[in-house]
Amino acid sequence: MDFLMLLYSIPILYTVFLILKMMEDRRGRDCYIIDYECYKPTDDRKLSTEFSGDLVRRNQNLGLSELKFLLKAIVNSGIGEHTYGPRVVLEGRENKPTLRDNIQEMEEFFYDSVGKLLARCGVAPPEIDILVVNVSMFSLVPSLASLIINKYKLREDIKVFNLSGMGCSASLVSIDAVRNILKTYKNANALVVTSESLSPNWYTGEDRSMILTNCLFRSGGCAMLLTNKRDLKDRAMFKLRCLVRTHHGARDESYGCCIQTEDDQGRPGFRLSKSLPKAATRAFIENLREITPMILPVRELVRYGALTLARRIRNCLGGSGTKVEGAMTKPVVNFRTGVDHFCIHTGGKAVIDGIGINLKLTEYELEPARMTLHRFGNTSASSLWYVLAYMEAKKRMKKGDRVLMISFGAGFKCNSCLWEVMIDLGRGNVWEDCIDSFPPKTLTNPFMEKFGWINQHDDTTKFKF
C-alpha cells in the first residue's frame, strides 16, 4: 500500500517540481533598473542666446531667408538658452572637427556618468556581465564600448554590444537587447550607455531641412544599470513590464524622412524631410495598437470595444436608411486606466503636442517632456531619461505606479515600453540645482527679443548680420 502511494505521488511531486522551476525561471527573466545617471555637461558648454547669434554669424552660407527661417524655428522650438553643445562648436571649429574632438565628447560623458553610476550603486566594474553602448552617428575602431571597457577594466568575458545608426529611439533598443540577453543569463548585471555625437555632425550649410537639426539637438547622455538578480530586487527603481518595437524601414518614405547625408555642396549633416510627421504618426499608431492590450486593464479594453461596436452598428443603420437620432462620438481609449505617468521623447514641441493630442493628455502630464526640451533640448536617445529624472525630482512617482515611455527614431522607428515603479522616488539628480524653478512662468526664449529685427528686412542686397 505504501509502495502504491509512493508510486502515485511521483507524478504529482514531479508536476510540482516543474511548476516551481517554471516560476523560478520566470522570476529570473525579470528585468530591473537599479539606477541611472543622466549626464550634465559643464557650464562652459552652454549655448546661450548671445553665443547662438555668434554661431550663426560664423556661417557665411546663410542668407536673409535662411536667417528668418532659423529665427522662426528656434523661437518655436521650445528650447531655452541653458542647453549644452559640443566643445568643437564652442571653440569655433565646427567646420573642421577632428577625430580627437569626437572622441573627447564621448569621453567626457563616459568618464563622468558611468563612474558616478557604479560608485552610487556600489557595483565594481568586474561585476558587470553585459555592456550595451548606443551612439548613432559616430563609429570608432576600437569601438566606443571598448573605450569603456579599457577605462573601467571590465572583465574579459563580458558580453559586449555596440549599436550605431538607431537614432533617437536607440535607448529602448538597448533595453530590449538587455531584456532578451537576461533571459539566457541568470544573475547578471547589465550596463547600458546611451548618447549621441554632435561634434562631427554639426551642419554648416544653408539647406533648411538640415539646418533644423542645429536648432533641436543638444549634448547629453545617460548610463543605466540593469539586472535580473532576485537579491537586488528590493534596491530596484523600476521593473520592465513590456516593450514593443515598430520599424517601418521597408517603406521608402519612412526610411528617408530623417537621414544622415550631405547637401549639394558636400557638407555633412542630418536631414529632416516634410514626410517626417506622416511617418511618425503611422509608426506611432501601429506601435500603440500593439502595446495597448498589454498595458490596459480588461475593463477598459471591453469598454472601448463595446463603444466601437455600438458606433459601427449605429453607422450601418444610418447608412441603410433607418432613422437614427443623435450622433455618437468616436470612442477614445483612456490610457490613464493603465498608465500613471507618460515619459515622452523630446523630439520637438510638435512631437510633444502631437502625442498629447492623440492620447488626450493634460498639460500636467506633458510638463516633464516640455521642461526637459526647454532645459536640455533634444538629447537624442538619452532624452527619455531626462524626462524620467524630472518626474523623479518632482517626487511624482510612487511605488506601484506605471510609466509609459514613447520614443521615435530614424528608420523610421517608434519604440515604447512600460515600467513599474518599485519604490517611492524623489531623490536629487541632474535636475537638482534647478528643479524648484520649473515649470517657469513662460517658456518663451529670448531669441525673438534679441534678433527679431531680422524680420524687418526684405532687401537681401543691403542686409548685413
Side-chain angles (χ1 to χ4, degrees):
M1 185 69 176
D2 292 341
F3 175 75
L4 288 175
M5 289 181 64
L6 178 63
L7 190 65
Y8 286 135
S9 66
I10 288 176
I12 298 175
L13 292 173
Y14 183 67
T15 302
V16 172
F17 168 76
L18 290 178
I19 293 174
L20 292 175
K21 188 175 185 301
M22 288 174 61
M23 292 176 64
E24 180 71 19
D25 291 341
R26 185 180 182 86
R27 283 195 291 265
R29 289 198 296 268
D30 288 336
C31 181
Y32 299 95
I33 287 184
I34 300 301
D35 207 342
Y36 66 102
E37 176 72 26
C38 290
Y39 176 52
K40 185 180 179 181
T42 53
D43 286 346
D44 61 337
R45 290 176 58 182
K46 282 187 177 180
L47 297 179
S48 65
T49 304
E50 187 68 34
F51 176 81
S52 297
D54 295 338
L55 177 59
V56 172
R57 285 189 184 93
R58 290 204 299 258
N59 188 347
Q60 299 299 314
N61 299 304
L62 299 178
L64 179 59
S65 61
E66 287 79 24
L67 289 172
K68 288 183 176 181
F69 172 79
L70 265 179
L71 180 62
K72 181 180 178 180
I74 193 66
V75 166
N76 296 322
S77 67
I79 292 180
E81 59 173 352
H82 296 289
T83 58
Y84 304 92
R87 292 194 183 278
V88 67
V89 172
L90 274 296
E91 295 171 3
R93 297 183 291 106
E94 63 272 10
N95 280 306
K96 296 181 179 179
T98 65
L99 182 61
R100 183 61 234 167
D101 291 324
N102 309 341
I103 296 173
Q104 181 185 11
E105 183 185 8
M106 293 295 98
E107 285 179 336
E108 286 190 30
F109 159 53
F110 292 161
Y111 299 169
D112 177 89
S113 297
V114 173
K116 287 180 179 177
L117 176 67
L118 296 180
R120 189 167 62 247
C121 293
V123 174
E127 297 179 73
I128 300 299
D129 304 285
I130 303 158
L131 173 63
V132 182
V133 178
N134 64 260
V135 176
S136 292
M137 298 176 68
F138 177 47
S139 184
L140 183 67
V141 179
S143 68
L144 293 172
S146 295
L147 192 67
I148 295 174
I149 292 172
N150 179 261
K151 169 65 177 180
Y152 293 99
K153 309 305 176 187
L154 302 184
R155 293 205 317 262
E156 293 180 357
D157 63 343
I158 189 170
K159 306 297 181 292
V160 187
F161 302 85
N162 196 97
L163 308 180
S164 65
M166 292 294 175
C168 297
S169 63
S171 65
L172 293 193
V173 176
S174 298
I175 295 292
D176 190 38
V178 169
R179 177 185 66 161
N180 287 300
I181 297 166
L182 291 180
K183 292 177 182 178
T184 304
Y185 294 92
K186 295 182 178 180
N187 297 317
N189 292 324
L191 176 63
V192 173
V193 183
T194 177
S195 185
E196 190 53 272
S197 175
L198 299 185
S199 293
N201 298 292
W202 196 271
Y203 181 61
T204 58
E206 71 277 6
D207 188 318
R208 293 189 181 189
S209 63
M210 299 172 73
I211 292 176
L212 197 57
T213 57
N214 291 355
C215 298
L216 294 174
F217 288 97
R218 295 294 184 265
S219 297
C222 184
M224 296 151 269
L225 182 65
L226 294 91
T227 189
N228 62 353
K229 292 184 177 182
R230 291 182 61 194
D231 57 346
L232 294 179
K233 177 183 176 181
D234 293 337
R235 292 175 52 192
M237 300 175 73
F238 304 96
K239 178 180 179 180
L240 183 62
R241 282 298 181 183
C242 62
L243 190 151
V244 172
R245 292 166 56 185
T246 302
H247 199 310
H248 282 182
R251 299 171 180 263
D252 291 341
E253 187 178 47
S254 297
Y255 176 81
C257 69
C258 47
I259 189 169
Q260 187 177 17
T261 185
E262 295 178 343
D263 65 12
D264 296 337
Q265 303 300 318
R267 290 181 287 256
F270 198 76
R271 173 173 287 128
L272 303 177
S273 75
K274 293 181 179 179
S275 63
L276 176 57
K278 181 180 178 181
T281 300
R282 189 163 47 214
F284 181 46
I285 291 173
E286 185 171 321
N287 186 272
L288 273 185
R289 188 179 294 122
E290 186 172 348
I291 198 172
T292 296
M294 302 179 186
I295 65 177
L296 296 187
V298 174
R299 67 178 185 277
E300 174 60 19
L301 298 175
V302 171
R303 183 197 69 83
Y304 176 75
L307 290 176
T308 301
L309 180 61
R311 185 170 185 265
R312 289 180 178 176
I313 293 174
R314 196 179 188 87
N315 290 340
C316 289
L317 291 175
S320 62
T322 305
K323 186 177 181 180
V324 180
E325 295 183 0
M328 189 172 183
T329 59
K330 185 178 181 181
V332 178
V333 175
N334 183 6
F335 282 91
R336 297 183 190 85
T337 58
V339 179
D340 301 289
H341 310 281
F342 297 85
C343 189
I344 302 169
H345 168 55
T346 59
K349 184 177 180 295
V351 173
I352 299 171
D353 289 344
I355 294 178
I357 293 171
N358 278 280
L359 299 186
K360 308 298 181 185
L361 303 183
T362 65
E363 277 303 314
Y364 177 81
E365 290 165 326
L366 294 175
E367 179 186 305
R370 292 199 194 282
M371 298 308 111
T372 300
L373 179 63
H374 184 76
R375 174 62 181 85
F376 293 98
N378 180 356
T379 58
S380 189
S382 64
S383 67
L384 285 173
W385 307 98
Y386 289 88
V387 178
L388 191 71
Y390 181 89
M391 297 178 190
E392 182 185 2
K394 283 292 187 181
K395 300 181 180 180
R396 291 189 176 190
M397 295 183 289
K398 306 299 180 183
K399 182 178 180 180
D401 285 356
R402 295 194 167 199
V403 183
L404 177 63
M405 279 187 170
I406 304 171
S407 67
F408 300 91
F412 189 85
K413 297 182 288 294
C414 177
N415 300 329
S416 61
C417 69
L418 188 73
W419 297 98
E420 179 185 350
V421 181
M422 302 301 290
I423 55 176
D424 291 347
L425 298 173
R427 57 161 192 185
N429 50 39
V430 70
W431 288 90
E432 188 172 16
D433 66 338
C434 62
I435 191 62
D436 292 336
S437 62
F438 281 86
K441 293 181 179 179
T442 177
L443 293 180
T444 302
N445 57 43
F447 287 92
M448 182 59 77
E449 179 183 348
K450 192 168 185 62
F451 301 110
W453 55 268
I454 292 175
N455 290 328
Q456 299 174 8
H457 291 265
D458 295 316
D459 190 347
T460 58
T461 59
K462 296 181 179 180
F463 175 78
K464 185 177 182 181
F465 187 34

